[in-house]
Amino acid sequence: MHAARPADCSHGKGTGSTSDSSESVEETYGIDNLHLTVARGYLAKLLANTRITRWLSYHRQEYLGEFQKIAETDPQPEALDA
C-alpha cells in the first residue's frame, strides 16, 4: 500500500505543475492586460463619436450600455496583489 502519490504530496513532484501554471499566468498577465487596455481605449474613442453612439442607441442599445461600462472601467492592479 502506498502512502500517497507524488501528485498528491505537498512536497513531491506534483508541486511542479502548480508552479508551472502560476508562471504561465504571470507570463500572460502582462500581454492580456495590454490587450484589455487597448480595447478599452478603442471603445472609449468610438463612444466619443456621436454618430456611433447614436447608431448604437437605436440599433444595439444593449451593446452601448456594456461598451460604456467597459470604457469607464478603471483597472486597479493593486487589488490583484492582495
Side-chain angles (χ1 to χ4, degrees):
M1 199 154 130
H2 296 91
R5 295 186 325 233
D8 297 334
C9 292
S10 62
H11 57 280
K13 291 181 182 178
T15 58
S17 65
T18 304
S19 176
D20 292 343
S21 68
S22 70
E23 287 175 10
S24 176
V25 168
E26 290 173 3
E27 289 172 4
T28 61
Y29 174 77
I31 194 73
D32 289 345
N33 193 26
L34 175 63
H35 289 154
L36 290 170
T37 301
V38 170
R40 194 179 89 232
Y42 182 70
L43 280 174
K45 188 171 183 171
L46 284 177
L47 294 174
N49 184 324
T50 55
R51 291 179 67 195
I52 292 173
T53 305
R54 189 178 324 119
W55 187 91
L56 284 169
S57 69
Y58 287 121
H59 301 284
R60 297 284 189 241
Q61 192 169 15
E62 67 281 4
Y63 288 1
L64 177 60
E66 294 302 314
F67 288 163
Q68 289 171 331
K69 287 180 196 175
I70 293 168
E72 294 169 1
T73 301
D74 186 22
Q76 298 178 2
E78 299 82 33
L80 296 175
D81 292 335

